């Protein structure tokens, strides 16, 4: 989804005559933490009463800078991944998430995830 938004922004900029540069000088490794949820078999039905609270928690986490992105797998919807800014943020999130508290999540784990990000070069 994020890629689609970036691509759409780039296309809009190009249509309006704005030239976008992609000069990257170096790559850096950024530590993120992946909160991995395993869902119950009938997750689509069982999550329904708890979904508003779960989505609100994600929204608040994003606003605070703790949640980077989140989403569930499809076909089958058996797992979800929530990318967090720190291991502590992931642990705290899982302690209060309505999906965990109400049995929608059967198990979860927190894994360190090393992402690669590029620093933009200021020279053309």
């Amino acid at each position: 989804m994020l890629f689609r938004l970036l691509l759409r922004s780039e296309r809009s900029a190009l249509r309006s005559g704005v030239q976008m540069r992609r000069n990257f000088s170096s790559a850096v490794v950024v530590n993120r933490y992946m909160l991995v949820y395993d869902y119950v078999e009938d997750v689509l039905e069982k999550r329904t009463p708890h979904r508003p609270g779960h989505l609100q928690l994600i929204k608040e986490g994003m606003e605070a800078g703790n949640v980077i992105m989140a989403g569930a797998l499809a076909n089958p919807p058996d797992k979800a991944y929530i990318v967090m800014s720190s291991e502590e943020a992931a642990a705290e999130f899982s302690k209060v998430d309505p999906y965990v508290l109400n049995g929608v999540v059967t198990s979860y784990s927190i894994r360190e995830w090393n992402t690669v990000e590029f620093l933009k070069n200021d020279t053309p």
Side-chain angles (χ1 to χ4, degrees):
M1 172 127 172
L2 178 61
F3 176 75
R4 287 183 189 148
L5 289 173
L6 293 173
L7 185 59
R8 193 175 333 155
S9 296
E10 184 172 316
R11 285 181 184 155
S12 295
L14 290 172
R15 278 196 299 271
S16 65
V18 174
Q19 185 175 4
M20 297 188 70
R21 290 189 209 150
R22 288 191 177 161
N23 297 325
F24 297 102
S25 59
S26 61
V28 294
V29 174
V30 178
N31 296 93
R32 305 280 190 210
Y33 291 84
M34 186 79 68
L35 179 57
V36 181
Y37 282 173
D38 293 309
Y39 285 146
V40 294
E41 274 192 40
D42 51 351
V43 64
L44 298 179
E45 295 80 29
K46 289 200 173 175
R47 74 177 183 185
T48 301
H50 312 293
R51 190 165 169 76
H54 172 73
L55 294 177
Q56 181 64 33
L57 188 63
I58 290 172
K59 180 182 176 194
E60 291 169 3
M62 286 181 167
E63 290 169 351
N66 294 325
V67 176
I68 310 302
M69 69 175 70
L73 298 182
N75 302 321
D78 58 347
K79 291 185 182 294
Y81 295 92
I82 305 170
V83 181
M84 307 293 292
S85 61
S86 70
E87 188 172 15
E88 296 79 20
E92 289 302 314
F93 186 96
S94 64
K95 288 179 186 175
V96 297
D97 187 355
Y99 280 11
V100 174
L101 298 175
N102 293 286
V104 177
V105 172
T106 59
S107 66
Y108 66 88
S109 61
I110 299 170
R111 299 283 311 269
E112 186 173 3
W113 186 36
N114 298 321
T115 62
V116 176
E117 297 182 16
F118 291 90
L119 301 175
K120 256 193 146 165
N121 185 351
D122 292 333
T123 59

